[in-house]
Structures are given as C-alpha cells and as structure tokens.
Amino acid sequence: MLHRTIHLFRKELRLHDNPVLLAALESSEALYPVYILDTAFLTSSMHIGALRWNFLLQSLEDLHKNLGKLGSCLLVIQGQYELVLRDHIQKWNITQVTLDAEMEPFYKEMEANIQRLGAELGFKVLSLVSHSLYNTQRILDLNGGSPPLTYKRFLHILSLLGDPEVPVRNLTAEDFQRCRAPDPGLAECYRVPLPMDLKISLESLSPWRGGETEGLQRLEQHLTDQGWVTSFTKPRTIPNSLLPSTTGLSPYFSMGCLSVRTFFYRLSNIYAQAKHHSLPPVSLQGQLLWREFFYTVASATPNFTQMAGNPICLQICWYKDAERLHKWKTAQTGFPWIDAIMTQLRQEGWIHHLARHAVACFLTRGDLWISWEEGMKVFEELLLDADYSINAGNWMWLSASAFFHQYTRIFCPVRFGKRTDPQGDYIRKYLPILKNFPSKYIYEPWTASEEEQKQAGCIIGQDYPFPIVNHKEASDHNLQLMKQVREEQHRTVQLTRDDADDPMEIKVKRDHSEENIAKGKVARTAE
C-alpha cells in the first residue's frame, strides 16, 4: 500500500542527498513537504538569534523554490510541533511521517513524541541519518557502547567502519510526479513567512545568504581550484583576512543546506587524482571528521552543553562577572583585536576558527576566567553555523575543560592578530573608531600619547575603553588556577587525553603560544 505522507524537514533543508525524502517519494501516493515553524522551540531549544532567523527563512524560501521546479512546494506551518501534526495528520488522512534523524537531545525527544503520536493515531514513522557522515550509533557500538573520547581513538573506530555511505541520487521531477502534490491553495496558505511577519529585524542581515542554491554554488567555487583543495591546511589560513580564508561552508552544513557526505566524496575524488594532498586533521576531510568526532561524543555524553553533570568536563569555579561578560559580548574589552572579532560576529554571524579561539581563550582561561558556558550561549545566539555538538565541544576544548591538554598555550590578544595583519586592516574595518591610529598603535591604542590619540580622533577611556585586564598578570594568575584544577581532577583530565599528549607538560609557552597555535596544535572548529 502506498502512503499518504508528511515529510518533515527539520535540519536537512535541501533536495540533494536526502535519503529519507527519497524514501518518502518512493513509498507514497501523496506527499506533503512540511516545515513546522515552532518559534518557541527554535528560541528555547536552539537559541537562534536574528541573523540565524534570517538565514533560516532564506533557506526555507530557497527550498520552496527548488521544490517548485520539481512540481511540488514547501508548506511552512507555524505552531507547536505536536499540535500541528495532530491536526494535519487527521485533516490530510496521513499514514506516514518521514523525517531526518538527528542526535541532539531536543530533536531525539521530538522524534520520540512523533513515534508515540504515530502509535496513537495509526501512522508509520520513518527516520534516516543524513546530517552526519556516519550513524553515530554504529560508532558507539563498535567502541563498546561508549563514545571514543580522543580523536586518535575515534579515527581507529572509523578505520574499522570503512568509508561513509555514499550520497543518494538526486531527486527528479519524475519522482514527484509519481506522488500527488499538495493543493496549490495550501502553498499560499502556508507560505514562507517574511522576517517582518515574525518581528525579525531586517537590519540583522548577514552577507551570507541562506539556502541550498547558495551553498552548492559556494561548494562548486571552492572545488574548481583543485590545487587549493589538495594543499589546504587549516592552521595556515588567516584569521583576520578581510575575506574568508577557509571554505565558509559551515552555515550551510549546520542548517543542512549542504550534505557533508557529498562534500566528503567530492573531496575524495579530487584527492584520488592528486599526487600529494594534505591529510587529517588539517585537511578539508579532516575538518569533516572533527565535526563527526564532536557529534559522536555529544550523542552519548550526558549534559554535554554544560559543566555540571558532564562526566568528561573539568569542574571549575569560574568567576561570575556580568559586567566583564557584557563587555566581551559587546566588543568593549579595550583590546582591539578581540573587539574587532566580536564586532564581526555580531554583524555577520561568522568569524574564522582562529578568531573564535582567540575570543574564547580570552573569555575563559586566558584573561577573564568566565565560564565557557557563557561564551557558548553567545556563539549559539550569534553564529550562523551554531551547532549543539561542535559549539559545546570547542568551548570545552578552548577553555581546556576537556579534549585540549596543552593548556599553557595562551593567546596574546595583541601579538596574535598583529602577526598576520600588522597594518591592522581588519581592526580598521570592524572598529572604525580606531581607523586613524598609526599601525604601531592599532593593536594597543592606549600606548599612544594623548596628542597622538587626539590626532587619531579617539581618546582612550572616552571614545574607546581602556583594557579591562592586564593580560600578563591575568593570564599568569589563571594559568596557576588551571594547573591546580587539573592536578586535583587528574582522573577527569585523563578521559580525553590522547596517548600522544605529554602528561608532564607544564612548561609555560605563552610568549610563543600564537606561533604554536598557528602550527596546528589547536582545537579544530568547523567553519
């Protein structure tokens, strides 16, 4: 018997490599492509801010247009998930609900509720994995039921699993013609809302446009330069270049506008034709595997996005300082390199991975000693590529709460940016109040004389703040705090330590920390 199916889009906002949508089309006589816009869920569970709201609406509009080209449409229904489903399953005589399988606790709970609703109302539920390279449960099973907590162990498990499943074939108009499409009147009734319909500011528009079409175009642009692909090593990219020096594909992976499996196999084809190419962890494929590593650990670690009750995370008495946290978030720390990064984040919803490292280290173990959870929440709100697993995993890493053990390496908020952008062009772009300072002062404007500050049109302490901490004093103090914490919680430290890590490393390398980080001895953030 062919089904009458609601296909629920959640994060897989695309038509390419969408196995569950393909399965829905092959098993149905009528198909209703639906996105349930549950604003309470998106705000409370995913904490998306205005930039990401706009990116989401653009992605939905693009999906609607692409479905239209194949003879269907996207129905965006606003309301609470279960109420919307209960109403429309009965209204449309639905016998099957298909959806993408996700690993976040709130998505798992949603799927469990849909399964219960199916048992109650008599419809079948089908979910398939396509947001990650592997079904994380297979990795857990091979590792004895628990997640591999080091990248080295993780890669060993993957070597036993073999390559990920290949992407499924592209959908065609013929696939949709075999199913009855929704009534055209429904498309008008359930159209993609405009930002003003949801009271979202149009001023909060990122230069990054959402949608599968844009994501695929960006993908093709990068893959045409095969030399760049084969030689790509992430630590050598530039954090303060005025145009992204990495792929910039992460928002499209995060929203599911791009398939990671498609990217993985396109890269494999290019690598196969090259005499030499970079390797994980610094290669492009290596970045996808880091993403997979965090997905796997997050899927089976209780309280992964918080410190309390998280078995792999150091329990640290961070300072509670609302004023300093606010200054960090609003680009008022008095360190131009840090403030320029936070300004770009707020304006565009994207920053380079090393820029993320710099502001995260500054907030936590480097200077302010404020909890990584607070920084994670800010990134969750402002980043277009905010992701439950990767965001929390990297904040634990960068605060040296888990995964990263060379904790003596601390970013200098002055020297690190200066090394790759000595003229301060990045600061001049995002902090125009400082644009007239000579290059020798642009990273430390408080060192300019009063007369030089007047000539630059910016008085420190009046037009732009003094530094909120003395970096050397703060980082020296925090280093001792971290050393003590790690000695006291040695067992927790060992959980995420690779065999390659030196347990005796306590030598301070702060003066050269940015050089070490640039050589690749850092956390990997997919961006």
Side-chain angles (χ1 to χ4, degrees):
M1 184 188 81
L2 292 177
H3 287 286
R4 294 178 59 82
T5 299
I6 285 178
H7 175 70
L8 272 182
F9 288 96
R10 297 200 292 178
K11 282 202 294 186
E12 303 308 84
L13 303 183
R14 65 174 187 270
L15 299 184
H16 73 281
D17 189 30
N18 196 325
V20 72
L21 177 55
L22 178 61
L25 288 164
E26 291 175 341
S27 62
S28 303
E29 64 171 1
L31 181 78
Y32 295 82
V34 169
Y35 184 88
I36 299 177
L37 192 64
D38 187 341
T39 54
F41 168 79
L42 289 168
T43 304
S44 62
S45 295
M46 296 181 66
H47 309 108
I48 68 174
L51 287 173
R52 193 161 167 82
W53 266 114
N54 277 302
F55 192 89
L56 169 61
L57 294 179
Q58 291 166 353
S59 300
L60 293 175
E61 183 61 39
D62 183 68
L63 180 59
H64 174 61
K65 289 179 180 176
N66 289 339
L67 282 166
K69 294 173 185 176
L70 298 179
S72 188
C73 63
L74 179 66
L75 307 176
V76 178
I77 308 176
Q78 297 187 48
Q80 195 271 335
Y81 249 90
E82 185 170 336
L83 294 178
V84 167
L85 277 177
R86 187 178 290 274
D87 181 26
H88 290 81
I89 281 162
Q90 295 173 334
K91 187 182 296 184
W92 297 336
N93 299 316
I94 296 301
T95 61
Q96 176 176 253
V97 171
T98 57
L99 66 159
D100 47 292
E102 305 297 345
M103 48 67 58
E104 295 87 345
F106 42 85
Y107 275 127
K108 283 183 177 178
E109 181 183 0
M110 181 190 295
E111 183 173 339
N113 289 337
I114 293 172
Q115 294 277 7
R116 282 193 289 270
L117 194 61
E120 176 191 338
L121 299 181
F123 62 85
K124 177 185 175 183
V125 179
L126 173 67
S127 68
L128 297 173
V129 173
S130 59
H131 194 65
S132 51
L133 291 172
Y134 297 87
N135 183 336
T136 56
Q137 189 58 50
R138 294 183 63 207
I139 300 174
L140 298 176
D141 291 344
L142 262 183
N143 198 50
S146 62
L149 295 178
T150 68
Y151 191 66
K152 181 179 179 181
R153 175 66 183 171
F154 174 74
L155 292 182
H156 171 68
I157 297 297
L158 292 194
S159 71
L160 302 178
L161 270 179
D163 289 337
E165 291 186 21
V166 297
V168 299
R169 67 172 176 83
N170 287 337
L171 303 175
T172 66
E174 287 73 26
D175 291 315
F176 284 89
Q177 286 167 3
R178 286 196 295 268
C179 298
R180 193 178 317 129
D183 186 289
L186 286 177
E188 180 57 33
C189 179
Y190 296 129
R191 64 176 177 80
V192 179
L194 299 171
M196 68 262 314
D197 297 332
L198 302 177
K199 297 181 172 55
I200 297 169
S201 170
L202 280 173
E203 295 177 1
S204 302
L205 275 175
S206 170
W208 306 73
R209 181 164 185 83
E212 178 181 22
T213 302
E214 176 74 17
L216 286 172
Q217 287 175 353
R218 286 175 178 262
L219 177 67
E220 293 302 331
Q221 287 170 2
H222 285 296
L223 295 184
T224 54
D225 188 349
Q226 296 193 6
W228 181 83
V229 171
T230 56
S231 62
F232 180 94
T233 52
K234 190 153 192 178
R236 293 180 185 170
T237 55
I238 301 172
N240 40 11
S241 57
L242 297 183
L243 294 173
S245 56
T246 53
T247 66
L249 296 176
S250 55
Y252 303 93
F253 291 132
S254 176
M255 201 73 79
C257 302
L258 270 181
S259 158
V260 289
R261 299 191 304 193
T262 295
F263 190 36
F264 182 91
Y265 278 101
R266 292 288 299 277
L267 290 173
S268 293
N269 291 338
I270 293 173
Y271 291 161
Q273 299 171 33
K275 289 184 178 179
H276 305 285
H277 62 83
S278 55
L279 298 170
V282 297
S283 66
L284 286 170
Q285 269 191 352
Q287 301 311 301
L288 295 182
L289 296 180
W290 274 106
R291 177 183 189 268
E292 204 75 10
F293 171 67
F294 282 135
Y295 266 57
T296 305
V297 178
S299 71
T301 301
N303 305 303
F304 189 72
T305 58
Q306 61 191 57
M307 180 179 73
N310 184 337
I312 67 171
C313 181
L314 291 175
Q315 304 298 299
I316 297 174
C317 292
W318 300 104
Y319 299 152
K320 296 186 185 301
D321 193 324
E323 181 180 356
R324 284 186 169 181
L325 174 62
H326 180 73
K327 287 181 177 179
W328 174 82
K329 180 179 180 180
T330 57
Q332 293 293 309
T333 68
F335 287 96
W337 163 231
I338 300 298
D339 292 339
I341 294 169
M342 296 304 291
T343 301
Q344 183 186 19
L345 173 61
R346 182 168 295 280
Q347 291 178 359
E348 301 178 9
W350 185 93
I351 47 177
H352 186 278
H353 75 282
L354 289 179
R356 301 178 194 212
H357 295 178
V359 295
C361 182
F362 185 90
L363 179 71
T364 58
R365 62 187 174 87
D367 293 81
L368 302 186
W369 199 256
I370 291 174
S371 173
W372 61 268
E373 291 178 69
E374 300 296 340
M376 179 193 70
K377 291 172 188 173
V378 172
F379 274 26
E380 200 169 37
E381 174 194 349
L382 299 178
L383 276 174
L384 293 177
D385 58 22
D387 183 289
Y388 174 92
S389 308
I390 301 169
N391 194 22
N394 274 286
W395 272 97
M396 277 188 274
W397 185 306
L398 294 163
S399 64
S401 295
F403 307 115
F404 182 63
H405 301 282
Q406 295 163 337
Y407 66 95
T408 57
R409 293 175 176 157
I410 296 173
F411 282 85
C412 174
V414 173
R415 288 191 297 273
F416 184 68
K418 185 183 290 188
R419 191 190 70 249
T420 51
D421 180 23
Q423 300 305 310
D425 293 336
Y426 178 83
I427 291 173
R428 296 178 203 281
K429 176 179 178 179
Y430 292 105
L431 295 180
I433 188 68
L434 302 176
K435 67 181 181 180
N436 293 325
F437 274 95
S439 298
K440 64 179 179 178
Y441 296 127
I442 192 75
Y443 285 89
E444 302 172 276
W446 62 89
T447 62
S449 68
E450 185 177 348
E451 183 59 34
E452 288 166 322
Q453 291 179 31
K454 287 179 180 178
Q455 289 177 0
C458 176
I459 305 300
I460 304 304
Q462 178 179 312
D463 304 310
Y464 180 76
F466 281 106
I468 57 175
V469 292
N470 179 304
H471 169 66
K472 185 179 187 312
E473 291 177 1
S475 58
D476 284 348
H477 177 69
N478 295 346
L479 185 63
Q480 295 308 309
L481 291 178
M482 182 60 73
K483 179 183 176 184
Q484 181 179 346
V485 167
R486 297 177 72 84
E487 288 173 349
E488 292 172 351
Q489 300 179 47
H490 181 71
R491 286 190 176 182
T492 304
V493 168
Q494 296 306 310
L495 291 175
T496 59
R497 185 190 289 280
D498 251 331
D499 295 339
D501 291 326
D502 179 5
M504 300 304 292
E505 179 178 347
I506 58 173
K507 183 181 178 183
V508 179
K509 298 181 179 180
R510 185 181 57 254
D511 288 346
H512 301 290
S513 61
E514 51 268 40
E515 294 172 21
N516 292 322
I517 290 164
K519 290 175 183 175
K521 300 172 181 176
V522 291
R524 316 295 192 226
T525 308
E527 48 68 59

